[in-house]
Amino acid sequence: MKLSPFIDLVNKNCGLLIESNLSSNLSSAINTRMTKNHLDNPNQYFHFLQNSTEEIQYLIDLITNNETYFFRERLHFQICIDRLIPKILDKKPSRKIKIISAGCSSGEEPYSLAIALANQFGLDIFNTISIIGFDINESVLHTARNGEFGPHSFRESATPYRKNYFQKTENNQYKLNSSIKNAVKFYRCNLFQPSFPKWLNNADIIFYRNVSIYFPKPTKKVVFEKLGNALNDTGHLILSSTETFSHNLKGLSLVEIEDSFIYTKQDADRQNIQSKPEPQKLPKASKLKSATTKNISNSPTPFQAMGKDTSSPKNPSLLFEISLKNAIQKNYDESFSNLEALLDLEPTHIEAKNLCATIHINLKQLEKAKELCRSVVKQDEWNIEARLLSGIIARMEDNPNEAVKWFKSVIFIQPSCWTAHMHLAELYNIEEDFKGAFKEYSLALKHLEKNGIEKRNLSYFPLAYNKEQLIHLFKHNLKNLK
Ligand SMILES: C[S@@+](CC[C@H](N)C(=O)[O-])C[C@H]1O[C@@H](n2cnc3c(N)ncnc32)[C@H](O)[C@@H]1O
């Protein structure tokens, strides 16, 4: 049977990439549905399918991978209870806190969260927090709404909460107590549909775990962007640990909490998850390590370390110093006016141009930044900083090929530049060239450990990490890539 037209049709409708692991699902699903519809050849069925959205839904229900279980990646629930929820509650929001489980399958994920919340805060918490699960697959949603689960759903979790929150039925199933069942709403929704429904917007936390692995790259990107937009300004996105590092999520930064990484909106209140509240336990939480948070993306930058300077410019080096201090303090207007004065005095002042380009990058004025970098490279062909900045601009413009070229050119000039290796590693990782990413992370790690963070060839670009955090991050990524 020729599967490609079916694959295209399914992909068009729900974004699913039918790879080898799902294609056997697809053939048997087609056979099942052909029999059900009394059709005896795939062409007839394809024709029928093209004209019936209902039939497409039946087919999708048969091919999605719905693997899930209670308290899968338990630490994520612990982080919610210990870190995220208390901080959101502290702000006393006037509206209900909204937590979404995107691709919730038969409900074990949102129900785990509901159990964890009830266990920690009592059932009244559901007056303050709403939990919504959604999935494209109508039949798993039926199971979710029904709230009855087999022993397999508990394969990774111990029994205390099963005793407290479930009733065993005669046929060896476990029926969820209505107090938890009623706390979670389920909807059918396709992550790939052009716009999300209202109930998905303004979310505080979105669980999006073990779903994107089935999507082709362009779909992954679109869905990430949409989920990022669905989060409110201080929202968090939680991916499974295997997915976390393969993405470049615009507008979201990575925060490490113990061994887990979650994404958080860039302008989120940094205190939100940085401070360590009293540990609060989930059932069987004694097995968990106590969480310590390192906010990798938001650690102080060198720019934040210096004081405001209002002295008036006297000569090029003083002008530069003042510009730098102002840039560090994010007094960009002040910095620009001093740089302008400096470039009037010395139009070929390379450091001034690079600083100016860096500020433009920070302000997302990429054309201006590009122009300045080009002029530096024209003036000094081997200028590493302008080349690195050009690579960063290309990344921001979503032009990975161009970015790779720039970073490779830096490595050609200076093979020990860990910054260039780090960017290449991230780019390869996003492109799913895991071998390339592994090699580049190894080199970034080696050169960073040997030469230190100072040798990063970016004098002014704010660095979001300190050396230890970077080493930790590189090692973590290498472990994942292995
Ligand atoms: C492997 S399960 C993950 C369940 C749960 N998030 C977990 O981690 O345990 C993936 C789920 O994503 C759902 N899914 C796949 N494509 C989807 C789409 N386009 N829109 C919504 N859900 C989708 C599938 O139906 C399936 O239930």
Side-chain angles (χ1 to χ4, degrees), residues 14 65-68 72 103 109 135-136 190-191 209-210:
C14 76
N65 182 327
N66 310 112
E67 163 80 1
T68 187
R72 184 180 197 175
E109 182 177 88
D135 203 284
I136 194 170
N190 180 358
L191 279 159
R209 307 184 312 160
N210 307 297

Side-chain angles (χ1 to χ4, degrees), residues 14-16 64-69 72 101-106 109 134-137 140 189-192 208-211 214-215:
C14 76
L16 271 183
T64 53
N65 182 327
N66 310 112
E67 163 80 1
T68 187
Y69 44 88
R72 184 180 197 175
S101 163
C104 65
S105 189
S106 34
E109 182 177 88
F134 75 87
D135 203 284
I136 194 170
N137 184 320
V140 287
C189 173
N190 180 358
L191 279 159
F192 199 52
Y208 177 49
R209 307 184 312 160
N210 307 297
V211 183
Y214 304 104
F215 295 156

